[in-house]
Amino acid sequence: MPVLSAQNLSYSYKTKYQTVQAVKDVSCDLNAGTFYALIGKSGSGKTTLLSLLAGLDTPQSGAVLVNGQNLREMDVDMYRRKQASVIYQSYNLFPLMTVRENVMYPLKLLRHSDAGAKNEAQDALKKVGLDESYWKRLPAMLSGGEQQRVAIARTLAVHAQIILADEPTGNLDTENSAQIIGLLSGLAHEENCCVVVVTHDSEAAKAADIVFRMDSGRLKEETA
Amino acid sequence: MIVFFYEKTRLRRGVWQTASIVLLIALLCAFFALFNGFIRQKERDMDETYTAIPVTVAVSDLTGTKTDDLEITDYIINYFLSDQYVYGGELQEKAFSSYVKDVYLKASVYYSFGAGFSNLRKLSGITSVAAASELNPLSGEPITYFAGYDESIFSSDKAVCVVSTAVAEELMQGKDNNGNVLLTVQMAPAATGEASTQIAFDVAGTYLSESQTIYCPFSCVAAAQTELDGKVTGDSLSATVRDNRKLDEFRQILQRHFAQVDPSGHREEIDTSPVLRYHPFAITVHDEMLRETLNALNRNLQTLYRLKPMFACMEVMIGAAAGFFYFHIRKREFAIARSLGTKRLEAVLAVFAEVCVIFALGSGLGAIVLLFIREAGIYYGMAAALFLAANAGAITACLMATGKSGVRLLREVE
């Protein structure tokens, strides 16, 4: 059974001048242990589709199934806490929390003790290559690549089954991009996660097991 | 739990932001308390004005031009001196005299000291030298008291007197063996046919004047008049109002017994009017200074009362705006928290907790500032309104940031 399915998803939104049909009747099955790339032109609906899969938006028609269960019938907050994790291009770390506290935050949401959350956060940070010297730094003291690693560590710490990344390498140089893509690929293949990456980066698309192309709100599978 | 985790890091590291809003809350609390204290001070001033400014009432003729030599009848005098009086055939519960204190009375007889009677030789009995100057010629004059005497002699019933320097020498030479001055007194200056009596006075002091009037306690003249005429007739009468707050009440009672002063009053009209004849005297309430002061204070107070709700509204709006913008600038943080699975209620609780801490610190700081200012009037209702407004603003910002449009912000690349 696919870990995440989209069934005939449609979503539109209104701007000042028009109604934009961002996602049109999209269906797909996404499995654990697979690294997906979602490519397409700007405004093709990639990010909107990712938001629908993350439960950050609600489709006007169709359904998102998580392990066969309709997301509408689930507690979306708990879904985001335990099962799905979103990584953004602009990292989105809490600016006044240290690196370690940022990773601890989702664990505290899951009611881990301080000590337990701290240990798990530290393990996750080590896995993304951030040693002890980084743990007490604030995000502003880190480079873009390092901040994105913290965001990935935050995902790793909660052992999310589904990782949805919205242009995670968009702000990074080639070297850092390759490292981040390597980490995400590792999460799919070693941690058995379902990783979906929205990207314009051809290298990221090359690393994917399956590539989807969005075109004017419609989804089409391409050969990786 | 997550609320505590988030707020612990937030308050610890966002010190300057927190300090700035704490300071703003402290200023708002302190400002309103100071403003309120200012109003209370003005109210106290108003209260003190009632006691600090004396109001006198003075009996005059109906035109208000004559306040001395009025021949005030004894029942009028009794209004001011007796605990009870009869009006309309009934004993009045609230005695006329309960509204006044320090009744200043003057009554006179004519004296002779060897050289016969004259219009100029008056023996005036007064209750105090503190009476208004138009009623008491001694007021303001420097009196030299002899050893063992002071101005309290006028409130006593001793036969003592104060004489002018013009007649002092003559009187001193004519002292009897006991050192007293023996005066023959009668009701009218004309000598023929008048009953007379003698009073032996001890001279208590002198005043600098060419006048031949001798002043003694009112009780001495009252006793002499009673002996000679069977009643007391006053020259002038004034009194101080005991409680100025009851002035209007007192004025109503005065209107039953005295006519209104009418400077244009015509004697013939007064004589032919049954109403005015029934009221042979007018009374003037000297409350000009009190009214002017109270009016000025009242105008100030009314302005302050009008400003108070405006300031309150302004503070509430500032509090709400401060609460809103303090959290609105952190909308990305709330969106991040929401995207990680934080419930909106948890975000709202975190905001509420932070506002509580900020408000506790702010109002505490404001209270410390006010400790050094005496005239502060802490107004808890305003503090509560400010607290609610700050929370309303803060929670609105939080709800906006954690809504779907708020979370969409995370997708925008800065």
Side-chain angles (χ1 to χ4, degrees):
Chain A
M1 184 196 290
V3 68
L4 189 63
S5 291
Q7 291 188 342
N8 308 108
L9 285 183
S10 289
Y11 182 84
S12 61
Y13 59 86
K14 283 182 183 171
T15 65
K16 197 173 179 182
Y17 305 105
Q18 58 179 343
T19 300
V20 179
Q21 187 72 41
V23 176
K24 295 175 188 167
D25 197 26
V26 167
S27 295
C28 63
D29 288 333
L30 304 169
N31 296 309
T34 311
F35 183 22
Y36 299 91
L38 186 56
I39 59 172
K41 291 178 191 166
S42 292
S44 61
K46 308 181 296 291
T47 299
T48 307
L49 177 60
L50 202 75
S51 295
L52 295 174
L53 294 174
L56 294 170
D57 263 326
T58 313
Q60 271 113 25
S61 65
V64 174
L65 303 181
V66 181
N67 293 320
Q69 197 182 352
N70 193 335
L71 189 56
R72 282 180 197 269
E73 293 157 12
M74 294 169 65
D75 180 342
V76 182
D77 292 321
M78 290 311 288
Y79 166 64
R80 284 204 295 270
R81 280 185 195 189
K82 288 182 178 172
Q83 289 166 282
S85 193
V86 189
I87 297 167
Y88 298 92
Q89 181 180 353
S90 51
Y91 327 122
N92 287 329
L93 302 175
F94 291 109
L96 292 182
M97 284 189 192
T98 62
V99 164
R100 185 167 60 191
E101 283 164 350
N102 262 290
V103 182
M104 282 170 73
Y105 186 89
L107 295 167
K108 295 298 292 180
L109 276 175
L110 293 170
R111 299 183 187 281
H112 286 225
S113 67
D114 275 355
K118 200 177 274 184
N119 287 335
E120 292 213 35
Q122 287 169 187
D123 288 346
L125 285 166
K126 281 177 193 167
K127 279 184 192 170
V128 297
L130 294 173
D131 62 28
E132 205 175 339
S133 62
Y134 288 91
W135 297 349
K136 289 186 180 173
R137 293 192 202 173
L138 292 175
M141 299 168 174
L142 305 180
S143 68
E146 288 163 343
Q147 287 191 56
Q148 199 59 290
R149 282 164 197 255
V150 177
I152 293 170
R154 189 164 64 183
T155 299
L156 264 178
V158 289
H159 304 291
Q161 211 180 351
I162 301 157
I163 295 165
L164 305 163
D166 189 2
E167 302 198 33
T169 58
N171 285 349
L172 305 178
D173 58 30
T174 316
E175 191 183 343
N176 272 309
S177 293
Q179 286 173 357
I180 295 299
I181 292 301
L183 278 169
L184 292 171
S185 174
L187 286 173
H189 300 134
E190 289 156 29
E191 305 283 337
N192 199 35
C193 296
C194 168
V195 178
V196 182
V197 176
V198 168
T199 187
H200 284 294
D201 183 356
S202 56
E203 293 303 314
K206 276 181 196 166
D209 299 319
I210 295 172
V211 177
F212 289 110
R213 179 176 290 277
M214 281 292 278
D215 187 12
S216 302
R218 296 191 184 280
L219 188 70
K220 200 163 70 177
E221 186 176 332
E222 286 191 356
T223 311
Chain B
M1 197 166 148
I2 193 66
V3 171
F4 181 68
F5 179 77
Y6 172 76
E7 287 304 329
K8 192 174 68 177
T9 56
R10 176 71 220 176
L11 289 169
R12 198 169 47 189
R13 301 212 181 86
V15 173
W16 290 111
Q17 274 181 14
T18 309
S20 60
I21 195 160
V22 162
L23 199 63
L24 179 69
I25 297 290
L27 284 174
L28 290 175
C29 287
F31 171 77
F32 202 80
L34 282 175
F35 180 72
N36 209 36
F38 188 59
I39 289 179
R40 286 189 193 173
Q41 176 60 42
K42 288 282 171 199
E43 285 169 341
R44 272 199 296 276
D45 285 351
M46 192 126 168
D47 222 36
E48 282 167 12
T49 302
Y50 276 110
T51 50
I53 298 180
V55 172
T56 57
V57 292
V59 176
S60 67
D61 69 343
L62 294 177
T63 59
T65 53
K66 187 178 170 191
T67 55
D68 203 3
D69 299 325
L70 290 172
E71 296 182 26
I72 300 168
T73 45
D74 54 353
Y75 73 91
I76 298 278
I77 294 172
N78 279 338
Y79 285 160
F80 288 86
L81 298 181
S82 302
D83 290 339
Q84 294 175 324
Y85 73 100
V86 174
Y87 176 72
E90 287 180 14
L91 196 65
Q92 297 300 305
E93 287 287 322
K94 211 157 188 180
F96 195 104
S97 60
S98 68
Y99 292 97
V100 292
K101 60 181 181 181
D102 304 332
V103 178
Y104 306 116
L105 270 163
K106 183 160 80 75
S108 300
V109 288
Y110 294 87
Y111 74 85
S112 160
F113 184 70
F117 292 98
S118 125
N119 274 335
L120 301 173
R121 298 208 153 192
K122 263 186 172 182
L123 174 66
S124 290
I126 56 173
T127 52
S128 167
V129 289
S133 58
E134 72 271 22
L135 303 183
N136 178 7
L138 263 187
S139 180
E141 292 288 345
I143 304 171
T144 309
Y145 290 100
F146 300 149
Y149 297 105
D150 57 28
E151 63 181 42
S152 66
I153 57 168
F154 294 104
S155 55
S156 73
D157 53 1
K158 290 177 188 163
V160 286
C161 65
V162 172
V163 300
S164 68
T165 47
V167 294
E169 196 177 337
E170 179 191 353
L171 290 173
M172 294 303 184
Q173 284 171 359
K175 277 184 176 180
D176 64 13
N177 294 337
N178 298 321
N180 291 331
V181 175
L182 194 65
L183 298 178
T184 304
V185 298
Q186 60 183 44
M187 293 299 290
T192 50
E194 281 286 327
S196 64
T197 186
Q198 288 194 317
I199 310 172
F201 282 105
D202 190 6
V203 179
T206 58
Y207 69 96
L208 185 66
S209 175
E210 290 302 311
S211 165
Q212 294 182 39
T213 307
I214 296 173
Y215 291 96
C216 68
F218 179 79
S219 57
C220 292
V221 173
Q225 283 189 343
T226 308
E227 185 184 336
L228 297 168
D229 198 30
K231 64 181 192 238
V232 177
T233 304
D235 293 347
S236 60
L237 192 160
S238 71
T240 306
V241 176
R242 189 185 293 275
D243 183 354
N244 290 340
R245 288 177 197 81
K246 293 181 180 170
L247 191 57
D248 290 338
E249 192 179 317
F250 183 43
R251 206 189 287 268
Q252 282 184 350
I253 295 173
L254 286 174
Q255 282 169 1
R256 292 181 197 164
H257 305 281
F258 294 93
Q260 298 278 348
V261 168
D262 179 7
S264 64
H266 197 274
R267 188 71 238 171
E268 285 173 16
E269 287 174 16
I270 291 166
D271 288 343
T272 54
S273 163
V275 176
L276 296 178
R277 283 180 70 191
Y278 184 69
H279 294 300
F281 300 104
I283 196 145
T284 307
V285 180
H286 294 285
D287 61 344
E288 299 82 5
M289 190 187 283
L290 178 75
R291 271 194 285 125
E292 274 174 28
T293 313
L294 284 179
N295 285 346
L297 280 170
N298 200 38
R299 274 197 300 275
N300 285 347
L301 260 177
Q302 291 308 318
T303 308
L304 292 174
Y305 286 146
R306 274 195 292 275
L307 284 174
K308 193 173 176 176
M310 286 166 63
F311 280 141
C313 287
M314 199 177 72
E315 287 219 350
V316 163
M317 284 193 287
I318 292 173
F324 179 82
F325 286 109
Y326 179 69
F327 288 98
H328 183 68
I329 56 171
R330 286 155 53 187
K331 58 187 175 184
R332 181 170 282 273
E333 281 183 50
F334 290 110
I336 295 168
R338 189 90 179 101
S339 76
L340 292 172
T342 306
K343 291 182 183 296
R344 284 183 105 180
L345 179 64
E346 288 172 323
V348 167
L349 281 176
V351 164
F352 178 70
E354 196 168 332
V355 172
C356 285
V357 171
I358 286 167
F359 211 84
L361 292 171
S363 53
L365 182 64
I368 290 169
V369 171
L370 294 175
L371 280 179
F372 299 99
I373 300 163
R374 277 194 310 167
E375 297 306 336
I378 294 172
Y379 190 54
Y380 295 105
M382 187 62 229
L386 195 55
F387 176 72
L388 290 176
N391 260 309
I395 289 170
T396 304
C398 173
L399 289 175
M400 281 170 65
T402 53
K404 279 190 177 151
S405 58
V407 176
R408 223 168 266 150
L409 177 81
L410 300 177
R411 301 205 297 259
E412 293 163 13
V413 181
E414 285 171 335

